[in-house]
Amino acid sequence: MGGATEIVLGIDSGGSKTIGCAVTRDGTVIGTGFGGGTNLYFVPEDEAIFAIQQASRQALAEVDGEVAAVYLSAPGLTFDVAELALEGTFRYRNLVVEGDAPAAFRGALPQGDGVVVLTGTGSFAYGEWRGRTATVGGWGSLLGDEGSGYWIAVEGLKAVVRASDGLGPPTALTRLFRKTLLYGMERELVGLVYRKGLSRERIASLATVVSDAADEGDAVAREIFRNAAGELVKQAAAVISRLGVGRDDEVSVAVTGGVSAAGSPLLDPFVDALNLAAPNVVLVPARFPPFVGAVLRACEVAALPVDESFIERVAGQIDAAQTVPSSPQLKRRSAL
Amino acid sequence: MGGATEIVLGIDSGGSKTIGCAVTRDGTVIGTGFGGGTNLYFVPEDEAIFAIQQASRQALAEVDGEVAAVYLSAPGLTFDVAELALEGTFRYRNLVVEGDAPAAFRGALPQGDGVVVLTGTGSFAYGEWRGRTATVGGWGSLLGDEGSGYWIAVEGLKAVVRASDGLGPPTALTRLFRKTLLYGMERELVGLVYRKGLSRERIASLATVVSDAADEGDAVAREIFRNAAGELVKQAAAVISRLGVGRDDEVSVAVTGGVSAAGSPLLDPFVDALNLAAPNVVLVPARFPPFVGAVLRACEVAALPVDESFIERVAGQIDAAQTVPSSPQLKRRSAL
């Protein structure tokens, strides 16, 4: 393939997966690659390194020269570990490592100012406004992550337990979790969850069970999604407040991450709560997933020109790349 | 010491500690011993075995004969592991292993029917009524444990995070958690909690921070204790309902476990909520801690006579034994 300075690599890594994407100067996607999660708070260092190497090698399979810039978006991962992962994997000139918020933002709102709300394994809201930035949430499964896939799944399991104790209403979740986790009595959940030690990612993936129940019309599951939407809107509103947006300024808000694909059970109450929270806010579709945001950030690092035609060019090629198997990715609804 | 059949050993093990207590037929306490937690959902098997051996050896230091009966109260621990722990440690005739509810009940309400609410590292409500039994709660830190030390501590940490995000009111917890966990900015909590992996027991022990804030009059901390009390009363009310207690029957409810020592911040709202939930319920002090309940159960296993004079005899000797260093044990308040 072409000259060294013409290729950039964007890598986005969340709680459960890593996606690498290599793009040329003119916006041609020359490779995508996939790996597991890299968050050092939750996975061992060697697994994180392997995931980055795997996603990079696959994305760069067609490349033999030097890469101009690598942008790695990953919460809880240090520059040192990223360097260690890339060492000997391929040659590159510049490496930037950041948390997951800026790439999620750049992917969702490549045109600029606004707020992105991410709900995947974890959750956060991040915004940029006239040079200011603000982040709310992103505290992880113990301290926060309200409205995330993990949070939705745990709320679903708690609803099953409450129904079993007579402290909550009967719910379709009882049947659906039994079918998914293969237990007979709710008390067996204790052994399943603690003795077998379900990982944070595996738990987050169970958000699909709550999504299925909501699709069946289950009131308890729908209430969980309504509460999730409320929590995510609170985060977005706090970001808007911190950015110092004026009352007359219109702010774009985009929702991204695997859970956003749940569609109307999440997004309908999200829009309702958003309208109540801030009348000057408009919900816009996230234009690209976070890994494309990482590519756009890599272009900036390499000082490559990123204009609308470059973005359009990339957009035309990523539909296929987006259909990645992913734990917390909920089924896409036709309603979306 | 005396003949073999005259000694019984009760062992109570919760989330963070094990207490063994050996008693003779006439109610003389001949030894107490202490170890760590044994819950196999949260600690490795060898640690659990060591804790049981340690508590047993210390309690039986003065004994050289055979023990008539051993009663082990421990959630998540199998008979096989208990047998393995006792093998070669001392000689015994009978061994019974049960969850933590029956011993907590027998210790709190040795006279019989009623409901015990336990709040330590975890939480549950358990009752006995005219031969029926019922349990609510005890689902562990992910699925439940509402109102427990773990739950109170996590609610406290979440309040700090919410205040930091501008999603909740300022609270004294911000200063007190910083002082206890030694961090500068709230964002450092993420590394502390996930990278260093605070154990369930260590987190539960942080309930003392919330208790300190409540003592200072902090509104957020007081609200957390009020909510904890509400959750525990919900569990008690569900147990009473399941036991089929008649409207005209008076039911005794006792609160036990390390967190109950928080005193009025927990117990005042507990009484209020209890009176609202069930007018035929009366709060009584827990007579003994769960390890004495385990001794009384051991006496039953050995078919030893347990009458009021036996209980009185034991009661006179356990005040000293009760003052055990324990993570989730909150400071005792003079108000109690």
Side-chain angles (χ1 to χ4, degrees):
Chain A
M1 271 306 304
T5 59
E6 288 189 314
I7 291 159
V8 299
L9 174 66
I11 309 172
D12 175 66
S13 187
S16 58
K17 66 173 186 300
T18 298
I19 307 182
C21 182
V23 174
T24 62
R25 175 187 204 95
D26 67 353
T28 305
V29 175
I30 53 170
T32 49
F34 309 105
T38 64
N39 192 328
L40 290 189
Y41 298 140
F42 306 107
V43 302
E45 194 174 292
D46 57 344
E47 275 186 34
I49 287 176
F50 181 73
I52 294 169
Q53 290 176 335
Q54 199 177 27
S56 303
R57 283 213 177 93
Q58 288 174 13
L60 296 173
E62 305 293 318
V63 176
D64 55 12
E66 191 183 56
V67 172
V70 181
Y71 181 90
L72 173 59
S73 155
L77 194 101
T78 61
F79 186 84
D80 291 355
V81 173
E83 235 181 357
L84 198 64
L86 300 188
E87 199 179 69
T89 308
F90 59 90
R91 284 181 296 120
Y92 61 92
R93 280 222 307 271
N94 290 303
L95 167 65
V96 170
V97 179
E98 286 190 335
D100 46 357
F105 179 85
R106 200 88 170 95
L109 299 167
Q111 71 277 19
D113 286 356
V115 176
V116 65
V117 174
L118 182 136
T119 169
T121 304
S123 74
F124 62 80
Y126 168 85
E128 299 188 1
W129 191 260
R130 296 174 190 170
R132 300 182 65 168
T133 67
T135 308
V136 163
W139 295 97
S141 50
L142 184 79
L143 303 172
D145 274 358
E146 286 87 356
S148 68
Y150 182 92
W151 185 92
I152 288 167
V154 169
E155 290 294 306
L157 288 166
K158 284 184 171 175
V160 168
V161 158
R162 274 199 301 272
S164 161
D165 269 348
L167 291 174
T171 161
L173 290 166
T174 297
R175 172 175 48 80
L176 293 174
F177 270 113
R178 265 190 211 168
K179 212 176 88 182
T180 306
L181 292 175
L182 303 173
Y183 57 86
M185 306 267 290
E186 275 69 40
R187 278 286 156 193
E188 294 171 41
L189 267 175
V190 174
L192 256 173
V193 166
Y194 305 111
R195 199 177 302 228
K196 297 207 175 161
L198 291 184
S199 71
R200 178 169 170 267
E201 292 66 45
R202 174 75 177 109
I203 290 170
S205 76
L206 297 172
T208 53
V209 175
V210 186
S211 179
D212 289 344
D215 284 348
E216 282 188 13
D218 183 67
V220 171
R222 286 188 170 255
E223 176 75 10
I224 291 172
F225 273 103
R226 214 163 20 244
N227 293 339
E231 295 290 338
L232 295 171
V233 165
K234 269 190 225 165
Q235 295 183 9
V239 164
I240 290 167
S241 156
R242 296 206 159 179
L243 289 172
V245 176
R247 282 174 165 271
D248 300 330
D249 294 314
E250 196 182 88
V251 186
S252 296
V253 173
V255 183
T256 191
V259 176
S260 63
S264 60
L266 181 75
L267 295 181
D268 290 353
F270 185 91
V271 171
D272 292 345
L274 196 64
N275 287 336
L276 279 176
N280 56 335
V281 163
V282 55
L283 185 72
V284 300
R287 189 149 176 201
F288 300 117
F291 78 88
V292 177
V295 168
L296 299 179
R297 306 282 288 189
C299 289
E300 287 167 21
V301 174
L304 294 188
V306 175
D307 54 16
E308 189 52 36
S309 77
F310 177 94
I311 291 174
E312 277 298 326
R313 181 102 206 260
V314 173
Q317 304 164 74
I318 62 144
D319 272 1
Q322 250 187 287
T323 55
V324 185
S326 153
S327 311
Q329 188 87 19
L330 302 184
K331 271 179 267 172
R332 296 193 172 270
R333 315 280 170 216
S334 51
L336 263 186
Chain B
M1 271 310 303
T5 58
E6 289 189 314
I7 290 158
V8 299
L9 174 65
I11 309 172
D12 175 66
S13 186
S16 58
K17 66 173 187 298
T18 297
I19 308 182
C21 182
V23 173
T24 62
R25 175 189 204 93
D26 66 354
T28 306
V29 174
I30 51 172
T32 49
F34 310 105
T38 64
N39 192 327
L40 291 188
Y41 298 140
F42 306 107
V43 303
E45 195 174 292
D46 56 345
E47 275 185 34
I49 286 176
F50 181 72
I52 293 169
Q53 290 176 336
Q54 200 176 25
S56 304
R57 281 212 177 94
Q58 287 174 14
L60 296 172
E62 306 292 318
V63 177
D64 54 12
E66 191 183 55
V67 172
V70 182
Y71 181 90
L72 174 59
S73 155
L77 195 101
T78 61
F79 186 84
D80 291 356
V81 173
E83 236 181 355
L84 199 64
L86 300 189
E87 200 178 69
T89 308
F90 60 92
R91 284 181 297 119
Y92 61 92
R93 279 221 309 272
N94 291 303
L95 167 64
V96 170
V97 179
E98 287 190 334
D100 46 357
F105 179 85
R106 200 85 170 96
L109 299 167
Q111 71 277 19
D113 286 356
V115 176
V116 65
V117 173
L118 182 136
T119 170
T121 304
S123 74
F124 62 77
Y126 169 85
E128 298 189 1
W129 192 260
R130 297 174 188 171
R132 300 182 66 168
T133 67
T135 308
V136 163
W139 295 96
S141 50
L142 185 80
L143 303 173
D145 274 356
E146 286 86 357
S148 68
Y150 182 92
W151 186 92
I152 289 167
V154 169
E155 290 294 306
L157 287 166
K158 284 184 172 176
V160 167
V161 158
R162 275 199 301 272
S164 160
D165 268 350
L167 291 174
T171 161
L173 291 166
T174 298
R175 172 175 47 81
L176 294 174
F177 270 114
R178 265 190 211 167
K179 213 176 86 183
T180 306
L181 292 175
L182 303 172
Y183 57 85
M185 306 267 291
E186 274 68 40
R187 278 285 156 195
E188 294 170 40
L189 267 175
V190 174
L192 256 173
V193 167
Y194 305 111
R195 198 177 302 231
K196 297 207 177 162
L198 290 184
S199 71
R200 177 169 170 270
E201 292 68 44
R202 174 76 177 109
I203 289 170
S205 77
L206 296 172
T208 53
V209 176
V210 186
S211 178
D212 289 343
D215 283 347
E216 283 188 15
D218 183 68
V220 171
R222 287 189 167 254
E223 176 76 9
I224 291 171
F225 272 103
R226 212 161 22 243
N227 292 338
E231 295 290 339
L232 295 172
V233 165
K234 269 190 224 164
Q235 295 183 8
V239 164
I240 290 167
S241 156
R242 296 206 157 178
L243 289 172
V245 175
R247 282 176 166 272
D248 299 329
D249 294 314
E250 196 183 87
V251 185
S252 297
V253 173
V255 183
T256 191
V259 175
S260 63
S264 60
L266 180 75
L267 295 181
D268 291 352
F270 187 90
V271 171
D272 293 345
L274 196 64
N275 287 337
L276 280 176
N280 56 335
V281 163
V282 55
L283 185 71
V284 300
R287 189 147 177 203
F288 300 118
F291 78 89
V292 177
V295 168
L296 298 179
R297 306 282 288 190
C299 290
E300 285 167 21
V301 173
L304 293 189
V306 175
D307 54 16
E308 189 54 36
S309 77
F310 178 93
I311 291 175
E312 277 298 325
R313 181 103 206 257
V314 173
Q317 304 163 75
I318 63 143
D319 270 1
Q322 250 188 288
T323 55
V324 184
S326 154
S327 310
Q329 188 87 18
L330 302 185
K331 271 178 270 175
R332 296 195 171 270
R333 314 282 171 216
S334 50
L336 264 186

